[in-house]
Amino acid sequence: MTGRETLPDQPLPLGQMRKGQGGYICRIEGPDATVRRLLEMGMVEEAYVEIVHEAPFGGDPVAVRVRGGLLALRRQEASCVTVRKA
Amino acid sequence: MSVSELSQPYVALVGSPNSGKTSLFNALTGGRQRVGNYPGVTVERKEGSIERPGGHRLKILDLPGTYTLDANTLDEAVTRDVLLTRKIEGAPPDLLVAVADATNLERSLSLVLELKDLGFPMVLVLNMMDLARNRGLEIDLEVLARELGIPVFPVVAVKKEGLDPLLEEMLRRVGERPRPLVQAFPESAWTLPRHGAEEVRARFREIDRILKLANAAHLKPARWTDRIDRAVLHPLWGSLLLVAILTFVFQSIFNWASYPMDLIERGIGLISEGLRALLPQGWLQNLLVDGVLAGVGSVVVFLPQILMIFFFILLLEDSGYMARAAFLMDRQMGRVGLHGRAFIPLLSSFACAIPGIMAARTIENPRDRLTTILISPLMACSARLPVYTLLISAFIPNRVVWGPFRLQGLVMLGLYALGLVTGLIVAWVFKKAVFRGPTPTFLLELPTYKWPSLRNVLIGMWERARLFLRRAGTVILAVSVVIWFLSSYPKPPADADPGRPAITYSLAGRIGHAIEPAIRPIGFDWSIGIGLLTGMAAREVIVGTLATVYSVEDGGAAVGEDALGRILQRRWSLATGLSLLVYFVFAMQCFSTLAVVRRETNSWKWPAVLFLYLTGLAYLASFLTYRLALYLGA
């Protein structure tokens, strides 16, 4: 499943996306410290991000590909990142 | 640290956690490293020296890995403080060597740009150039150096490629400026650069611009890593693989380590025989053989297991698997409020709590780290094994329960499970009641897989071994001598009953008798009281003490232990045996662990908390076990 087709047109929090879905980051909001840490790890606006793995037992945390690297994070933090289709 | 050392010029290595900074440090310094702690904190300080033909010598400091100067962890704070204040090293570094993973420039250059703003003399090392080339990256190094405004050195640290030009530059740059000039940096450079979200965003825009110019923006995907991850991070296969790896590690710790452990025991036996033959009989012989050698030996014997644990930890860490394991375990650990990374310290604690507590350093959140440290001693360490074995063989019949399962084996398993489950419950309670606060973020880089470098693993093991011997060894030396004194003096009077063991006349014997009223409710008598005291050196010492108390003739360990089991069976009730078994699941019977916790938390408060809560738990559990067993007629 590529999943990209299934992504709705409206922006969606990364934390609500399934394995194989991805898009361009349009917003990062949340507690200051979390936002900064996300940014430092390369989660910046306009970067392409895609969920490539989900952990066993409930699919949380997830592993995402962003800026050429692989990052593991919990869905709660991932929900600070809003992603749009194109 | 002496003043002359402080004023010595030095180079500092700075880089993000997966940049191969430690590989570079190992490659540059070889074995010439000193590992210690930064004053006042429990962050490892690694210093090395480089010697070049012609008598040039250079001090080099490996700063803890960090993604940013805006520190999130204790380790990162040390890196920041060494660079920005003088309170740690006394003086700022004369040259910064920033290390970046060439296959991860899109993210690792962020720290480089941040460092550049500090205004230090600085060079950039692009590590893992071979892997970058394999992934189709032909970086224009000249453009990169020009745009960054600092010299750039391509290297492959694990293969020692490209080190010579870097070394020359380091020597030249450190040699060129006399020491006092460095300290005349403009004051403005010593304040933390601004770290708002906007600054971070701007840095990443700058990185994109530079990488495009330097032809380094298009990296082919890491195909092997992707392929391996499809299996390793697969919800089913990945979990099974993790269980398989953990089982293998566990098996090897217990099976393979027993050979070197036997050798060490035999070696200590030989030395004590030698000492007995060499020294005249008397207090000196007793002190050296029964005090120092026996005590230190009882701890050193765990060195093979500890080395083996660290061998596996370093191997898994170096290859990139460890971060994946934390990812797979995060959900399970999260249920009791712990971080995915906590499972490694807990796993290590099954061999020995000391490496486990030391491994808890990788947990960034201080509350999580403390919780992990506080439950580590509940994992059944291998010092409990001789105690469990003795008591189980004495009190539990080896009946077949079902199929291949026998009662003795099941009880052993039950004791391990009891410790583990209690640990998780205690963690949950600590997180709910004591360390309340927001759930810490779990944000972890999953690095590309690499062949682990044997050299790095061996250097890491050597460092751990030294730390263990120094920390546990020095404490245990002191404790052993004290315990030896307590159990040897005063000597029995001249008209003593020859059938009564000498230890019963000693201070330890008196203490055993004195605390008997306190331990009577849980079914213990004075002999166990003595054993609990001597067992503070290391848990399994109680076996030897009980043997002494019950005057088992020392005719080979195996025979002696069987005989001891039979004696205990005759002397104690079943309820007492069970109560003591349960007591050892919980009780904090290990002074070395307390000493290491003090070192790691930098206060006596946490070892005190640890001792009190575990002893309380042990007493309560033993009380319930004893009373229940008596009620059921045992």
Side-chain angles (χ1 to χ4, degrees), chain B residues 95 121-123 151 168-177:
Chain B
L95 179 69
M122 181 170 153
V123 301
E168 267 160 41
E169 174 84 357
M170 280 160 63
L171 285 168
R172 193 176 64 76
R173 294 283 286 273
V174 170
E176 86 187 2
R177 70 171 67 229

Side-chain angles (χ1 to χ4, degrees), chain B residues 51-234:
Chain B
E51 270 161 65
R52 297 289 287 167
H56 293 292
R57 235 170 136 254
L58 191 59
K59 184 176 136 183
I60 177 162
L61 198 64
D62 183 18
L63 293 179
T66 180
Y67 291 104
T68 166
L69 288 175
D70 187 22
N72 294 303
T73 71
L74 222 54
D75 286 32
E76 294 177 358
V78 163
T79 297
R80 177 197 65 201
D81 290 347
V82 167
L83 296 179
L84 297 175
T85 70
R86 286 170 208 182
K87 68 181 177 208
I88 295 193
E89 290 297 323
D94 299 72
L95 179 69
L96 268 192
V97 176
V99 189
D101 174 356
T103 66
N104 196 7
L105 290 179
E106 274 194 76
R107 287 188 297 133
S108 54
L109 281 189
S110 174
L111 176 66
V112 176
L113 291 180
E114 215 179 331
L115 290 169
K116 220 192 75 180
D117 286 345
L118 297 180
F120 280 100
M122 181 170 153
V123 301
L124 172 64
V125 170
L126 288 190
N127 193 13
M128 308 186 218
M129 282 300 282
D130 52 342
L131 301 178
R133 263 178 240 121
N134 287 345
R135 288 171 64 185
L137 208 58
E138 291 298 337
I139 308 169
D140 189 334
L141 295 171
E142 266 173 44
V143 173
L144 188 62
R146 189 192 68 212
E147 291 301 318
L148 288 171
I150 52 175
V152 175
F153 294 88
V155 310
V156 183
V158 285
K159 295 184 189 160
K160 296 193 166 188
E161 281 173 27
L163 296 185
D164 280 336
L166 173 65
L167 277 169
E168 267 160 41
E169 174 84 357
M170 280 160 63
L171 285 168
R172 193 176 64 76
R173 294 283 286 273
V174 170
E176 86 187 2
R177 70 171 67 229
R179 185 77 193 161
L181 273 182
V182 177
Q183 303 192 334
F185 257 109
E187 237 6 80
S188 63
W190 297 106
T191 56
L192 193 64
R194 276 173 46 76
H195 282 278
E198 267 326 300
E199 280 77 7
V200 185
R201 289 184 172 101
R203 271 207 301 275
F204 277 101
R205 280 195 297 272
E206 172 74 356
I207 293 172
D208 286 339
R209 187 188 68 82
I210 294 176
L211 289 184
K212 217 168 267 168
L213 283 174
N215 191 27
H218 296 287
L219 187 68
K220 283 190 208 148
R223 286 197 194 289
W224 274 108
T225 293
D226 291 348
R227 269 179 217 157
I228 297 170
D229 271 344
R230 273 204 284 278
V232 165
L233 297 182
H234 188 277

Side-chain angles (χ1 to χ4, degrees), chain A residues 20-77:
Chain A
Q21 295 185 321
Y24 294 89
I25 299 176
C26 56
R27 266 199 317 275
I28 302 157
E29 319 164 294
D32 271 358
T34 309
V35 169
R36 267 209 327 263
R37 291 222 42 203
L38 287 168
L39 286 170
E40 277 152 7
M41 301 299 281
M43 293 271 217
V44 285
E45 282 84 351
E46 297 310 312
Y48 186 78
V49 56
E50 181 188 340
I51 295 191
V52 282
H53 297 286
E54 290 175 332
F57 308 109
D60 191 14
V62 293
V64 303
R65 178 163 333 281
V66 67
R67 287 183 76 92
L70 206 53
L71 272 189
L73 73 169
R74 291 185 183 146
R75 286 191 182 271
Q76 194 192 338
E77 277 90 44

